[in-house]
Amino acid sequence: MDALSKIFEDIHLNKSEYIYLNLSGDWAFRYQEQGAIAAYIVLQGKIHLQLDDGQKRLIEAGDLVLIPSGQSHYGCSDQEKTLLEATDISTLFDEKRHKTIELGNTDLQENNCFIIAVRGHIDSIMARPLFNALPAFMHIHHITGSSAPEWLQTGLHFLAIEAHQIRPGRDKILDHLVSILMIQCVRDFITQLNDAGNWLNALTHPELSSALAAIHGQPEKAWTVESLAEQCCMSRSKFAGLFSQIIGETPLAYLQQHRLRLASQMLRQGQLSIQQIAHKVGYSSETAFSQTFKKQTTLTPTQYRQHHQS
């Protein structure tokens, strides 16, 4: 499995939910961060989106915007009207999923906007390296036009069909469609990258991608810098230098961080013993694993599991 595919498998993008927002007059909504990907497809009108860090985007009819990390944000009809009371839509994905939510003054025929809002659950800890490398907004213009990529037109066509029909297996299909949209957006972003030091470059690098695929595919293996270099058909020194330059840390430091993120995922899932987890992430003993885990998180594996299952 290639590195990008394995990374998306690791982050467990699943349980995609959506609501329709029918907005008119003066309106505003807020979305609270929930460790989930957020996306908006604007079918009519326009929306001013602003992240809590101040970044802003104007999203118009026919546009798709992804907020990969799902950080808190605010949407409104007019960014000048800052005193508008914002409706929190964060809980509506659970309470009103698949339904149409009316916001604003439905008697007014101005500032009309109709959008599909999507929430896709992920393992935010496993996704951290990916999200750190992605922009806060991923904005694709004119997705409904003939100039839009064919993959996007096809994906949205299926999304529209599945969203309007309650058929067996629909939830699973929606999960796959959201995953496809996310992966394709990341692919497109990588092709346009100008930052040579961005971690995402390594996923498509002709040599380094083999090392990442090996680390993510077999984290339990006793990898060394030499054995990882062999995966890339490179000398040890050239591999180590290139890896550190692009990834921003040494190969073994990256390997350790990935193992600990993977271990934290297994601990939260609660299905394996700590000894089993230690071996699955490449530690020869439970003691060595526990010491390393506590040094990184300040909690023992047992304490971490209890904290996240309480």
Side-chain angles (χ1 to χ4, degrees), residues 17-24 29 39-44 47 87 89 92-103 113-119 156-166 170 174:
E17 302 148 334
Y18 66 88
I19 53 176
Y20 296 101
L21 296 178
N22 189 18
L23 314 162
S24 54
F29 67 81
Y40 298 97
I41 302 167
V42 181
L43 303 177
Q44 177 188 338
I47 174 174
T87 300
I89 67 168
L92 299 182
F93 292 91
D94 295 317
E95 300 169 2
K96 304 288 186 180
R97 58 184 305 202
H98 308 161
K99 295 183 179 178
T100 299
I101 314 301
E102 309 276 352
L103 294 181
C113 186
F114 192 71
I115 67 177
I116 302 175
V118 182
R119 180 178 73 178
L156 291 173
H157 174 70
F158 275 103
L159 182 61
I161 292 174
E162 291 300 328
H164 283 91
Q165 299 180 22
I166 301 178
R170 182 185 63 171
L174 286 172

Side-chain angles (χ1 to χ4, degrees), residues 34-292:
Q34 303 169 66
I37 293 170
Y40 298 97
I41 302 167
V42 181
L43 303 177
Q44 177 188 338
K46 62 183 179 181
I47 174 174
H48 295 274
L49 275 181
Q50 179 173 330
L51 300 180
D52 279 359
D53 64 9
Q55 294 188 64
K56 299 178 182 179
R57 286 291 188 280
L58 173 62
I59 317 300
E60 299 181 292
D63 289 1
L64 162 70
V65 65
L66 274 168
I67 305 175
S69 65
Q71 63 177 284
S72 300
H73 54 274
Y74 171 86
C76 63
S77 55
D78 188 340
Q79 60 183 345
E80 301 301 322
K81 298 183 178 180
T82 55
L83 297 180
L84 284 175
E85 183 177 353
T87 300
D88 190 344
I89 67 168
S90 310
T91 59
L92 299 182
F93 292 91
D94 295 317
E95 300 169 2
K96 304 288 186 180
R97 58 184 305 202
H98 308 161
K99 295 183 179 178
T100 299
I101 314 301
E102 309 276 352
L103 294 181
N105 188 340
T106 55
D107 294 330
L108 296 178
Q109 297 302 310
E110 60 183 24
N111 297 330
N112 289 348
C113 186
F114 192 71
I115 67 177
I116 302 175
V118 182
R119 180 178 73 178
H121 292 272
I122 52 162
D123 186 320
S124 56
I125 293 176
M126 290 299 293
R128 191 175 298 149
L130 177 63
F131 290 164
N132 287 343
L134 290 173
F137 284 108
M138 299 184 75
H139 187 181
I140 301 179
H141 299 267
H142 311 304
I143 59 174
T144 56
S146 57
S147 60
E150 187 176 348
W151 65 264
L152 186 54
Q153 294 183 53
T154 302
L156 291 173
H157 174 70
F158 275 103
L159 182 61
I161 292 174
E162 291 300 328
H164 283 91
Q165 299 180 22
I166 301 178
R167 298 189 295 179
R170 182 185 63 171
D171 289 349
K172 198 65 179 176
I173 288 175
L174 286 172
D175 286 344
H176 284 308
L177 288 174
V178 173
S179 295
I180 289 169
L181 288 174
M182 182 67 182
I183 292 169
Q184 288 287 8
C185 284
V186 171
R187 278 177 167 177
D188 285 1
F189 178 71
I190 292 173
T191 62
Q192 300 168 29
L193 265 178
N194 294 317
D195 179 9
N198 189 300
W199 172 79
L200 286 169
N201 279 315
L203 300 181
T204 56
H205 192 281
E207 295 161 324
L208 288 188
S209 60
S210 297
L212 286 181
I215 289 172
H216 285 263
Q218 296 178 285
E220 76 286 354
K221 191 170 179 178
W223 295 109
T224 62
V225 177
E226 289 83 357
S227 61
L228 287 170
E230 289 174 4
Q231 294 289 315
C232 305
C233 300
M234 297 175 69
S235 69
R236 182 191 186 283
S237 58
K238 183 180 178 182
F239 165 73
L242 186 62
F243 192 100
S244 297
Q245 177 187 341
I246 293 181
I247 302 293
E249 57 187 340
T250 67
L252 296 187
Y254 180 89
L255 172 63
Q256 183 186 71
Q257 289 302 310
H258 174 64
R259 284 172 166 172
L260 293 176
R261 282 190 294 268
L262 193 58
S264 71
Q265 183 182 71
M266 294 177 186
L267 287 167
R268 281 178 275 120
Q269 290 170 341
Q271 297 169 345
L272 300 174
S273 69
I274 293 173
Q275 184 178 36
Q276 288 173 317
I277 292 172
H279 288 295
K280 276 186 170 292
V281 296
Y283 286 85
S284 57
S285 72
E286 181 180 335
T287 301
F289 164 66
S290 297
Q291 289 173 344
T292 304

